[in-house]
Amino acid sequence: MSAHDAPAGEATNPSAQDIPAVPSAPAVPSAPVTPSAPFAPSAFLFGGDWSPEQWDRDTWREDVELMRRAKVNTVSLGIFSWASLEPAEGVYDTGWLDDVIELITAAGIGFFLATPTASPPPWFTLAHPDAMPVREDGVRLTHGSRDTYAVSAPAYRDASRRVARMLAERYGSHPGLRGWHLHNEYGTLDHGPHAARSFRTWLQRRYGTLETLNQEWSTAFWSQRYGDWQEITPPRTTQYLHNPAQLIDFRRYSSDEMRSAMVEQREEIRAAGSSAPMTTNFMLPTWNHLEQWSWADELDVVSLDHYLDTTGPDAEAHVAYGSDLSRSWSGGPWVLMEQNAAGISLGDRTIPKSPQRMIRHSLGYIARGSQSSLFFQWRASLGGSEQWHSGLVPHAGASTRRFEAVCELGSILERIAPAVRLPADGPLVEAEVGILWHADGWWALETPHLPSDTIRYSDEVRATHRSFWRAGIPVDFVRPGADASRYRLLVVPCLYPLSDEQVTWLEQYVEAGGELIVTYLSGISDASLRIQPGGYPGRLRELLGVRVQEMLPLEAGVQVALDDGGVVEEWTELLDTTDAEVLAVYAQGELRGLPAITSSARGSGHAVYLSARLRQDSRDAFFAAAAERLGIAPTLAGAAEQGLEVVRRRGDGADHVFLLHHGSEPVTVRGDGRELISGQDGASGVRIEPGDVGVLALAPGAPLDLLPHTPS
Ligand code: GLA
């Protein structure tokens, strides 16, 4: 029996010889989409995922009544509805969806329509067992959960295109359609025979010849030399360590393969004549299977599902982090497709969210460019796998503080929407600081057996963003190779591989007068994770004017002081300067007196190297000092210290200053304009209570100040 025929659930470990030739999917035209206009609905989209197929019709009617009461204007339909829409292969049942759409349309509620391809129904598994994903260890998954699909399986791709086409033909021109929600959170990795076939094709395109691949993958080590393309497989479970180049290429391939599946759906929908905007929902923060910049190229607008991983004050910084990433990926406005209304169940615990925090976070996303406040999900399920995820209508029903808060949010959004429009040109949020982001950094630091397995890309980028957030300084994320000239400061946290082009781009940025700060574990390797010899970080040694002889990770719990007052944990390096000034040295331990932070002057700019991992408070102080040195000011001086987050969202002939108060004492902000929620006159000062929000409309660039606190 070939692996291809293995019944669902049975372990397989397909060898190259077992793999039958599979006809490749028909070519799909793939011209990147250039959105004709930014995503600018006439109101902030408010609502969330609604799965009416879970409920009886009386509940539908009650739901729509409650939606009207809460001023909900958008629901996302169809996300996991494949089995209801196509109960048997090629047999469609759309009557219920017609009725749902008619019901909401009559109530003035619009909808995102999903292609339901994240959750193939059981009949599909039985008919096409080869289209189920195979795990790294060879186990083929089966239905019973969701996200079970082998993205490169022709049967899956065909079925996905068909159902997308059917939906587009039926609903693609519906006036209530706000946009297409393609799939849901792409992210199932497949190691099966179909993936092996398409991975090889991807590698052939990337490397051309096996000789090049062997060289790029350093296959001379451990006798891994490939003599035939058929010998290459996805990185399935093996005896010991995988080849890191194979691992990162598999992640890149998987992202590209899923993207082409998404593009196919988009093209089917366009071919059916629907011109509604296209998005797919990205997911943060726990996993990352997508290279977001290239995905954003294919979308009209980026959307994000954002779930907090903390109950503490870092949740607020995390809202800003997810928002700044999404705005940057989207290149402007974006859509918050899901957040949790209240608690999110992580299995072993629930992360709560108070009603007030739910409102504040919703405004926090909008402050940083979201055009929506959408949730998972409208009504909390009574059964099924996610019955303990919260909903806008909780299990306890509508007579609850939760639902009251939902109604309050609806009124706030209605009050601010007419004023908070998109700017005619220029960025939504003006930032002078850029942080480089690329999924390669994430994937590289997930390869095993690095000098430290505790340093994670997402933690490092987030810690850097957190420092600027705590200082009240706006930040964008930057795509490698993009025009970075508007940023006075560009930070590169832990971007381990860098290509020649990326190195040149960084050099040019500094030459032209930019201030670059590079941290440890950046520029260590080329794109194939091959280390550049001669001292780390080989790719950036000349630019930084340093040479690292040795990486010296610290034991857990060990801290080392620097002479500038900073404290270091987890990571140190034995660093020589070749052409750089020393900004800080170690004050203790075996590296005492040796450089930790350096700066080199290049052209009209500087390249700073941070060779040690600063503890968060020291990192905050370091970046705040760097910003101050460059004259980069917080949006409102002194606000962050009082727990007040201030974001200036540029609009059409006006700025909207979002005041998000996470602190514990009332604050008063003065600016010559009107606060849109309470109607307070900004010229005499807008008072914001702890936990509350305000949106102050001002003339573009108008000054703001914080008034001294007067106890009431
Ligand atoms: C994700 C999914 C939703 C749901 C929520 C639960 O983001 O898109 O379908 O599973 O998480 O929190």
Side-chain angles (χ1 to χ4, degrees):
M1 183 178 70
S2 78
H4 190 71
D5 299 319
E10 191 165 307
T12 62
N13 208 350
S15 70
Q17 286 71 24
D18 291 332
I19 297 165
V22 183
S24 54
V28 165
S30 170
V33 171
T34 315
S36 45
F39 188 74
S42 57
F44 290 114
L45 305 183
F46 176 48
D49 289 18
W50 187 36
S51 308
E53 62 270 40
Q54 290 186 75
W55 307 99
D56 59 28
R57 287 179 182 242
D58 285 343
T59 314
W60 294 5
R61 282 185 282 274
E62 186 190 324
D63 277 344
V64 171
E65 208 29 63
L66 292 174
M67 286 176 194
R68 285 167 64 99
R69 197 191 303 168
K71 303 185 194 301
V72 160
N73 57 26
T74 305
V75 291
S76 304
L77 297 172
I79 296 166
F80 297 114
S81 308
W82 199 342
S84 311
L85 289 167
E86 191 180 356
E89 186 145 20
V91 178
Y92 298 117
D93 175 8
T94 50
W96 66 272
L97 188 55
D98 292 349
D99 293 348
V100 163
I101 290 177
E102 200 181 313
L103 191 66
I104 56 173
T105 306
I109 298 167
F111 58 100
F112 275 103
L113 186 57
T115 56
T117 50
S119 208
W123 60 254
F124 180 82
T125 321
L126 285 184
H128 307 285
D130 67 294
M132 293 296 101
V134 175
R135 275 192 338 210
E136 194 186 23
D137 63 1
V139 171
R140 190 189 294 277
L141 304 181
T142 187
H143 64 261
S145 178
R146 66 175 192 191
D147 300 307
T148 38
Y149 55 88
V151 73
S152 51
Y156 173 72
R157 295 284 270 266
D158 289 349
S160 298
R161 281 198 303 270
R162 277 198 312 270
V163 73
R165 180 83 182 211
M166 182 279 287
L167 290 170
E169 282 170 355
R170 199 163 179 88
Y171 305 107
S173 306
H174 194 286
L177 180 63
R178 302 217 188 277
W180 287 97
H181 177 306
L182 302 171
H183 196 89
N184 187 68
E185 296 180 346
Y186 276 99
T188 299
L189 301 191
D190 171 40
H191 297 74
H194 294 303
R197 169 185 52 84
S198 56
F199 184 37
R200 283 182 207 122
T201 307
W202 185 91
L203 291 168
Q204 280 165 349
R205 271 203 304 270
R206 183 172 175 92
Y207 295 117
T209 65
L210 270 180
E211 199 187 332
T212 311
L213 176 137
N214 279 314
Q215 200 170 338
E216 292 287 326
W217 281 19
S218 310
T219 56
F221 195 59
W222 281 2
S223 184
Q224 289 180 354
R225 189 187 163 278
Y226 293 102
D228 190 314
W229 292 100
Q230 292 300 310
E231 294 164 8
I232 302 173
T233 61
R236 298 180 182 138
T237 305
T238 186
Q239 159 62 13
Y240 184 39
L241 301 172
H242 281 106
N243 182 323
Q246 182 189 7
L247 285 176
I248 196 165
D249 271 353
F250 186 67
R251 304 299 293 270
R252 292 173 178 142
Y253 146 76
S254 298
S255 171
D256 287 357
E257 185 67 20
M258 290 187 281
R259 195 185 59 218
S260 67
M262 178 193 74
V263 166
E264 270 176 19
Q265 293 195 11
R266 185 192 75 199
E267 295 306 313
E268 283 295 337
I269 292 170
R270 288 283 183 252
S274 177
S275 56
M278 300 275 176
T279 191
T280 188
N281 44 350
F282 296 169
M283 170 73 174
L284 276 177
T286 43
W287 50 263
N288 180 26
H289 297 316
L290 314 182
E291 192 291 283
Q292 291 89 355
W293 300 111
S294 64
W295 280 67
D297 287 343
E298 304 290 354
L299 298 168
D300 293 311
V301 64
V302 159
S303 61
L304 182 73
D305 295 351
H306 201 231
Y307 293 93
L308 302 178
D309 54 2
T310 170
T311 50
D314 203 42
E316 274 71 55
H318 199 231
V319 168
Y321 174 67
S323 305
D324 288 344
L325 274 168
S326 302
R327 187 187 64 255
S328 305
W329 290 327
S330 204
W334 58 284
V335 169
L336 177 72
M337 192 60 87
E338 294 177 20
Q339 64 166 317
N340 48 313
I344 172 149
S345 155
L346 299 183
D348 58 340
R349 71 204 150 103
T350 290
I351 296 196
K353 195 192 262 182
S354 71
Q356 198 181 33
R357 205 175 205 188
M358 181 277 285
I359 293 177
R360 204 165 69 246
H361 286 183
S362 298
L363 274 282
Y365 293 112
I366 288 175
R368 292 169 192 266
S370 173
Q371 294 292 76
S372 67
S373 187
L374 298 170
F375 293 79
F376 180 86
Q377 59 178 329
W378 164 252
R379 185 185 276 274
S381 301
L382 299 182
S385 308
E386 295 197 318
Q387 63 199 122
W388 291 109
H389 278 303
S390 55
L392 293 172
V393 182
H395 287 154
S399 309
T400 47
R401 67 168 190 161
R402 285 285 160 196
F403 191 68
E404 268 169 35
V406 171
C407 295
E408 188 184 338
L409 176 59
S411 316
I412 292 175
L413 295 178
E414 197 180 63
R415 256 172 284 162
I416 67 171
V420 185
R421 313 302 307 155
L422 294 178
D425 50 36
L428 264 172
V429 177
E430 212 134 16
E432 294 179 298
V433 176
I435 299 178
L436 202 60
W437 167 278
H438 199 276
D440 269 359
W442 188 310
W443 296 332
L445 290 195
E446 278 188 351
T447 61
H449 233 59
L450 296 170
S452 158
D453 280 349
T454 61
I455 298 203
R456 294 161 51 88
Y457 181 73
S458 56
D459 293 346
E460 296 296 316
V461 178
R462 194 166 151 186
T464 303
H465 180 271
R466 185 184 293 125
S467 290
F468 289 103
W469 182 84
R470 287 183 177 175
I473 294 173
V475 164
D476 281 343
F477 288 90
V478 179
R479 182 181 197 162
D483 177 9
S485 54
R486 87 172 92 129
Y487 304 109
R488 298 171 66 189
L489 173 59
L490 182 62
V491 186
V492 184
C494 293
L495 192 53
Y496 183 99
L498 284 177
S499 66
D500 291 346
E501 296 73 35
Q502 290 166 351
V503 170
T504 306
W505 172 72
L506 290 173
E507 287 167 353
Q508 287 169 348
Y509 170 77
V510 178
E511 285 284 326
E515 181 92 358
L516 182 72
I517 300 182
V518 174
T519 80
Y520 46 89
L521 288 170
S522 297
I524 304 297
S525 77
D526 64 11
S528 299
L529 304 188
R530 288 177 306 186
I531 293 163
Q532 178 139 333
Y536 320 110
R539 315 282 296 156
L540 297 173
R541 226 168 35 225
E542 275 194 24
L543 175 61
L544 297 168
V546 298
R547 185 179 75 116
V548 176
Q549 293 189 43
E550 288 177 37
M551 296 173 172
L552 297 169
L554 297 171
E555 295 287 322
V558 173
Q559 300 196 330
V560 178
L562 302 183
D563 71 337
D564 66 354
V567 178
V568 169
E569 54 190 10
E570 287 189 63
W571 191 264
T572 61
E573 293 178 344
L574 174 58
L575 178 70
D576 300 331
T577 50
T578 50
D579 182 15
E581 179 196 345
V582 176
L583 300 183
V585 299
Y586 292 95
Q588 312 175 293
E590 82 165 293
L591 297 175
R592 187 185 172 124
L594 295 176
I597 307 175
T598 62
S599 173
S600 68
R602 298 281 182 272
S604 1
H606 294 94
V608 172
Y609 184 52
L610 183 56
S611 77
R613 185 174 197 275
L614 294 173
R615 202 173 63 189
Q616 184 73 52
D617 55 348
S618 302
R619 190 187 294 245
D620 297 349
F622 171 78
F623 283 118
E628 197 178 338
R629 205 171 52 241
L630 294 166
I632 300 173
T635 306
L636 177 56
E641 290 77 351
Q642 299 197 36
L644 180 69
E645 179 179 352
V646 183
V647 186
R648 195 183 270 262
R649 177 176 156 145
R650 295 181 58 251
D652 191 10
D655 283 355
H656 296 99
V657 179
F658 283 71
L659 305 165
L660 310 160
H661 194 11
H662 316 303
S664 53
E665 297 294 332
V667 288
T668 306
V669 174
R670 189 173 51 200
D672 194 5
R674 194 171 55 84
E675 198 283 305
L676 300 176
I677 301 172
S678 63
Q680 292 179 77
D681 172 20
S684 34
V686 175
R687 182 182 161 102
I688 309 283
E689 299 299 324
D692 269 359
V693 289
V695 182
L696 183 55
L698 298 177
L704 271 184
D705 56 331
L706 194 62
L707 298 184
H709 174 56
T710 41
S712 48

